[in-house]
Every structure is written in C-alpha cells, then in structure tokens.
Amino acid sequence: MAPWPELENAQPNPGKYVEGTTSPQSTSPGKGKETNKNDTGAPVTKIELLPSYSTVALIDEPAEVADPWDLPELRDTGIKWSERDTKGKILCVFQGIGKFILLLGFLYFFVCSLDVLSSAFQLVGGKVAGQFFSNNSIMSNPVAGLVIGVLVTVLVQSSSTSSSIVVSMVASSLLTVRAAIPIIMGANIGTSITNTIVALMQAGDRNEFRRAFAGATVHDFFNWLSVLVLLPLEAATHYLEILTDLVVETFQFKNGEDAPALLKVITDPFTKLIIQLDKKVLNDIAMNAEAAKNKSLINIWCKTFTNVTQMNVTVPSPENCTSSSLCWSDGLNVWTTKNVTFRENIAKCQHIFVDSNLPDLAVGVILLLVSLLVLCGCLIMIVKLLGSVLRGQVAVVIKKTLNTDFPFPFAWVTGYLAILVGAGMTFIVQSSSVFTSAMTPLIGIGVITIERAYPLTLGSNIGTTTTAILAALASPGNTLRSSLQIALCHFFFNISGIVLWYPIPFTRLPIRLAKGLGTVSAEYRWFAVFYLFFFFFLTPLAVFGLSLAGWPVLVGVGVPIVFLILVVVVLNVLQSRCSRILPGKLQTWNFLPLWMHSLKPWDDLLSLLSGCCRNRCCLCCRLCCRTCCLLCGCPSCCRCSRCCQNLDQEPELPIKAPEAFDNVAMSQEAQDGPPQAQGEAPGTKSTSSSTAL
C-alpha cells in the first residue's frame, strides 16, 4: 500500500497532537538541513527526507506482549565482587552466611507453624471429622466416601491422620477396604489445600501470585482429574482392591520397624512445647465410643502407669461370673473374680495449654490465628531472603540446574528424574504438604518453572505413600494387613494418575488448567479465595448433604449439573478450536448476560461494596453515602460527594487529531483512543494511534 501524499516527506510534530506543548523545531533552526552552493554561487538548502509513515506499519507490527509465565531475571543490583576491597569481600561473605542461617531459621519456624496449624484444625474440627466417619450408613456410597475424605482431611489438615482413622476402622471391621478406597482418594485431594493457602500469602505482587498460585493448584487439578477418571473405574471394576489384595497375598509381609522420623526429630521438641494432642480420641469417636465424645483432644498426662490386678466384684447373677469355679454367693450378693485395670497419672505434659481450662474450640482458634500469623511472616521473610540471595551468577546456576533438560535423546528422562527427586525429598521430610508448601515461594519468585514443579509434585505424591507403606509395616499384627492394603491402594492410585496425566505431553492438562486459574486469580485476586472455599468446603458439603438424602436425590440433582458442566466444557473447546462448525450465536458467550460469562461485573460489585471503606468519608456514614451516590447522585457541595469521586483517576492530556486525518470519524477515533489490547498486562498503558504516528 502506497503512503498517503499528505504524509510523504512530512516532518512529524508532536506539538500538533498534544495541547500545551511547543514545537521543538522552532527552537532548533537549521537542524537536519545542509547548505551548499550551486554553480552560480547561490546557496541551496538540502532537506534530509524522513522515511514515509504508513498505516500499514501500524497495523502489521503490533506491540509485542511479554509472556507472563516467563521467569524473571534475578539480576544482581549490588556491587560486583571484583570491585570490592578486602574488607568489603569479608563483609559480603559474613552477610551471605548470616542470610543462610536466617533462611534456615525461618524455614524451621515455617515447618513448625504448619505442624501447629494442623493441630489447630484438629482442635477446631477434629470431633466433627470423627463424626463423619461414624455414619456408616452412607459409607457404601463411593461419592459420599470421597467427599468425606476431602472434608476430614481439610478439617484436620493431615492426610496421615485421616488415613490412620480409616485403617483403624478397617481393622475393627467397621469399614471394608472397598468402602475405604474412595475415602483415601478424598484424603489425597484434601491434603493439597495446605500449599494453596501458602500461595495466598504471596498475593501482594500479581506476577509472583500468578506463578505461585498456579504452582500450588497444579496439585489440586492433578488430584481432581485423577479422581474423575479413576473413581468410576474403581466403582465398576474394583481394580485397586483386587490389585492390592493380590500384592499382599503374594508377598508375605511381616512386621517391621517404623518409618524414620527425620524431620519430626527436629520439629517435635519445639511444637510439643506449644500443644500436644491425644490422637486416640479421634479414632474412638470414629468407632462410636460414647466416652470419647466428651473427652478433650488436648493431652494432659504424658506419663501414666497402668496396673492390672484381680479383685472380687459383685455381679447381677451367676451367668455374669468369669467361670463357675470363681463364682460364689454370700446370701445377699453374687461374687466373682475379675481383672481390674487401674491407671495412675504420673507426670503432666509440658506445653503451654496443659493447665488451662479453655475448651478445645478456644484453644484451636488461638493456635489457628497465631500459626497463620507466623506462617505468613516466615513466608514473607523467606521470599525476601531468597530474592536477595538468588541473584547474579547464583541465580543463573540454580535456575539452569532446576529447569534445564538433558540433551536431545534423553530430554524425556528429566521429568522422571524430577519425580524421583520429589519422592525422595518428601520421604526425607515425611510430609508432602511441607515439601510442596516450601516449593511454592520458589515458584512465585521465578526460580522453578511450572513445568518443572509439576513432576516434583507428582513425586511428592509418591513419596508420601511410601512413608505410609513403611508406617503400615510397623503396625501390630491385627492391623497389618488392612493398613498395608490401604497404603498400597493410595500408592497405586497415584501411580495410575501419573500414567494418565504425565507421560504424553498433550495429556498434561493440570499444567494448562493451573496456568489458566493463575491468570484469572492474578487479575481478580478474590477469586482465589472463592476457589478455595468452593472446591474444598462448599462442594463437598453439598454432595455430603445430598448423600444423606439418598441415592435418588444425589443422582437427580447431580446428573443435570454434571451434564451442564460437560456441555460448557465442550462448547469452550469448540469455540477455541473450530468455532466455524457452531451456529453463529454459539460461537461466543455474548448471548448470555455479562455476569454469567465474565468476572468483571462481580469484581465491580465487590469493589463497590469495599469501596466505602477506602474513600474519604466519615466512619458512620460510608455505606449511606455510597447508596446516595448510586441512587440520586451527590452534588459537589454535598459533604458526602467525596464518596462518589474516584480517587485513582488521573488527568488525561487532550488529544487533537492530526491535520493529515481530515476526517470526522477518524478524528473521533483518535480522541477516544483504541481499546486496550486483550493480551496487555495489567498496569500497562496503551498509546493511541495518532500519538504513535
């Protein structure tokens, strides 16, 4: 396309387009000109022609949009090592050692706060979680068992605790292995909430929060997708039950030693000074023990002495005697000899709540608030220290080591090696929640990519099941078989999920889904909290309530909802892949109201509700002022008119249309400015076409 004649050989003058500016050409005469003389001696001025401006260049060369998932460069902004003197080098070495010690200290308190957080959740909702298991009438429903596993693990913040309750119930014949498998699947989902909560602590920076939340929720999506495929398969074929039963029968396992508690040796001395719980109470509640329902979870006596002696006791009738030789009567009562157990308390536990008369709920709320505060503070300091340590060449080496694949023929081996590393690290720390929660801030600051965090998370799932297998091997003889079979069910469930969602690259849906959720949550950060409550609390509670009403109600309500979700998913895929085969109305969601296919109206509503707390109004009339502004509009003389003002608005420079654009429509478009690009990052400012020209 040829350039417009009006624009050819024209000198652009920004002063014509922005009011209030002066032309730079008027102050610099002769710039860009050369004066020569011709043959007659008359001076001739040569003007250097600028390149022509065409609208094609503006259309064909759009501004490049940075990929929000690219890792940031952790540049060293300090003084270089070669520029330091001897004193500066020594000081830098001591600063590095001090930062490393501080990093270990904050990491220690971070892990301890996770342990205390688990105890706090057990105090707040542990008895409720135990009562979920006591309802054996709905345990035969796989869907109900799944949501019970999710709810119990979320309430006690420990998949090990929920798994141990299931093992005790199976060993006591209160629950079959077939009914316990969906509960184990739910426990696998519920344990992923911990690192999602940790990711919320990085919501201050949008880019860090995008990466951290995506890295945390990749675990959630893997578990949910695995359950969506494997739970119907297990309900139809019972392959996990058959496979684990075959393994237990083939290999004659014997009682072994307990799993080495490597991390507990370091953290228990500190956490036991804060709180100690009696885990047997939850098992007794799950087994419908009436005495345990009114018993406190807080452990008071750590050392007790139990003595069994024979005593003569009265019984109602001779049938109640232990044996006929040990039964006699004195004319008034029937006597027999029985073993009576006496328990004597010797020493109290040494924690701060041992002598408090507070109920479990009050202690749980106190520990919950304190542990969340410590968790948030430690996480902030860990991120700051990592950001100051991982700079320059150190950052380059670490990022290359963690994120670089092997050479071409063996590039596929890298992911499987990462799975082994994740399994080994989880086996060392004895908790998948601790490993994934410690990895979340590294993902946020850009040290580990989402693609590398995914196999590490899968390995963490494997590592926590190997710990459960070793713990099952240390069980007593009466519970060895059941606990080992359940631990193997957990192991083969995670192996099946890895086979489904990892080996083939296009099947790695959790990565794409987690990135999509991270992008949405970075723009609307309240949606992350909504996601947490909806998928881990509201949905399991709703399904559990429908399960209590019976199978017909659950199927009648659930099937239409599942069908609607499937239709929406299929339409989304068709709209993005091949929209031409759809009718014109279904090629976009614009035929629906905006609030049904966009989060913008909901974000505006939340901003409106929370705006009265940010505007400059008196404390007693903020809500009334906001309502007044919406209904009738406040005049400028009104005292409350400041509520109606948007304090974030900035004055804009008026734009005049270029003289070359002698067209009313184009001038109006230049004044209004172009719409913001869809891929534009939040916080960036777009430039109008007239200004660019």
Side-chain angles (χ1 to χ4, degrees), residues 154-229:
V154 167
L155 289 175
V156 301
Q157 281 292 289
S158 172
S159 60
S160 301
T161 301
S162 55
S163 299
S164 64
I165 294 175
V166 173
V167 168
S168 301
M169 296 182 68
V170 173
S172 304
S173 300
L174 294 176
L175 201 64
T176 62
V177 175
R178 180 172 297 181
I181 291 175
I183 301 176
I184 295 299
M185 293 182 181
N188 207 50
I189 294 175
T191 190
S192 61
I193 192 177
T194 306
N195 58 327
T196 308
I197 294 175
V198 171
L200 293 177
M201 307 299 176
Q202 293 183 262
D205 184 88
R206 289 186 185 272
N207 291 325
E208 284 189 11
F209 184 56
R210 179 188 294 109
R211 291 188 291 265
F213 198 72
T217 53
V218 73
H219 195 187
D220 304 351
F221 284 114
F222 170 78
N223 290 329
W224 282 110
L225 290 173
S226 299
V227 165
L228 286 176
V229 175

Side-chain angles (χ1 to χ4, degrees), residues 13 32 98 107 123 136 156 160 184 186 235 297 305 319 362-363 365 432 446 494 503 513 552 557 582 605 625 684:
N13 185 3
L107 188 61
L123 287 171
N136 297 328
V156 301
S160 301
I184 295 299
L297 283 171
F305 176 73
E319 288 79 8
V363 176
V365 171
S432 61
N494 284 311
L513 294 175
V557 176
L582 294 174
L605 178 62
C625 291
T684 60

Side-chain angles (χ1 to χ4, degrees), residues 525-540:
R525 280 173 278 193
W526 55 266
F527 187 76
V529 181
F530 171 78
Y531 159 81
L532 202 65
F533 277 94
F534 183 79
F535 281 98
F536 289 98
F537 290 99
L538 297 182
T539 301

Side-chain angles (χ1 to χ4, degrees), residues 417-541:
L417 181 62
I419 292 177
L420 294 178
V421 170
M425 293 298 296
T426 305
F427 180 79
I428 292 174
V429 301
Q430 296 283 293
S431 174
S432 61
S433 299
V434 171
F435 176 72
T436 54
S437 300
M439 191 170 59
T440 299
L442 295 176
I443 301 171
I445 64 175
V447 176
I448 303 177
T449 62
I450 308 295
E451 288 76 13
R452 182 64 72 240
Y454 181 54
L456 289 172
T457 303
L458 301 186
S460 176
N461 276 355
I462 300 297
T464 191
T465 57
T466 56
T467 304
I469 291 174
L470 290 178
L473 291 174
S475 302
N478 59 338
T479 63
L480 174 64
R481 178 183 173 83
S482 57
S483 58
L484 185 58
Q485 188 171 359
I486 291 173
L488 288 174
C489 288
H490 197 182
F491 175 76
F492 284 114
F493 167 74
N494 284 311
I495 292 292
S496 303
I498 292 175
V499 171
L500 283 174
W501 308 114
Y502 187 75
I504 307 175
F506 74 84
T507 61
R508 296 171 187 174
L509 292 179
I511 296 178
R512 292 197 287 264
L513 294 175
K515 283 187 173 182
L517 182 61
T519 302
V520 173
S521 301
E523 185 173 359
Y524 308 105
R525 280 173 278 193
W526 55 266
F527 187 76
V529 181
F530 171 78
Y531 159 81
L532 202 65
F533 277 94
F534 183 79
F535 281 98
F536 289 98
F537 290 99
L538 297 182
T539 301
L541 281 175

Side-chain angles (χ1 to χ4, degrees), residues 294-311:
N294 297 323
K295 191 176 180 181
S296 175
L297 283 171
I298 301 174
N299 200 5
I300 304 297
W301 299 96
C302 287
K303 290 185 179 180
T304 58
F305 176 73
T306 303
N307 186 23
V308 180
T309 58
Q310 288 186 347
M311 293 186 62

Side-chain angles (χ1 to χ4, degrees), residues 25-106:
Q25 295 177 348
S26 60
T27 58
S28 56
K31 187 176 180 181
K33 301 180 181 180
E34 294 181 3
T35 305
N36 294 326
K37 294 184 178 181
N38 56 7
D39 297 337
T40 60
V44 177
T45 302
K46 292 185 178 180
I47 301 176
E48 181 181 355
L49 299 180
L50 293 176
S52 302
Y53 292 89
S54 173
T55 54
V56 177
L58 298 175
I59 298 174
D60 293 342
E61 298 179 3
E64 295 183 0
V65 180
D67 186 3
W69 298 104
D70 285 343
L71 294 183
E73 294 185 8
L74 304 175
R75 297 179 179 177
D76 191 357
T77 56
I79 304 175
K80 294 182 179 180
W81 179 264
S82 58
E83 298 177 356
R84 296 177 183 268
D85 55 2
T86 304
K87 182 179 178 180
K89 291 181 179 179
I90 296 175
L91 183 62
C92 182
V93 170
F94 278 105
Q95 284 180 350
I97 296 174
K99 288 180 180 179
F100 181 72
I101 294 174
L102 283 175
L103 186 62
L104 291 180
F106 284 118

Side-chain angles (χ1 to χ4, degrees), residues 114-133 147-159 161-162 165 186-187 189-194 197 277 282 297 361 364 368 533 536-538 540-541 544:
L114 286 176
D115 195 357
V116 176
L117 182 68
S118 174
S119 300
F121 272 103
Q122 291 182 44
L123 287 171
V124 173
K127 291 186 176 180
V128 178
Q131 291 174 359
F132 279 126
F133 285 117
V147 296
I148 285 174
V150 175
L151 287 172
V152 171
T153 309
V154 167
L155 289 175
V156 301
Q157 281 292 289
S158 172
S159 60
T161 301
S162 55
I165 294 175
I189 294 175
T191 190
S192 61
I193 192 177
T194 306
I197 294 175
L277 300 183
L282 294 179
L297 283 171
L361 181 61
L368 184 64
F533 277 94
F536 289 98
F537 290 99
L538 297 182
L541 281 175
F544 180 74

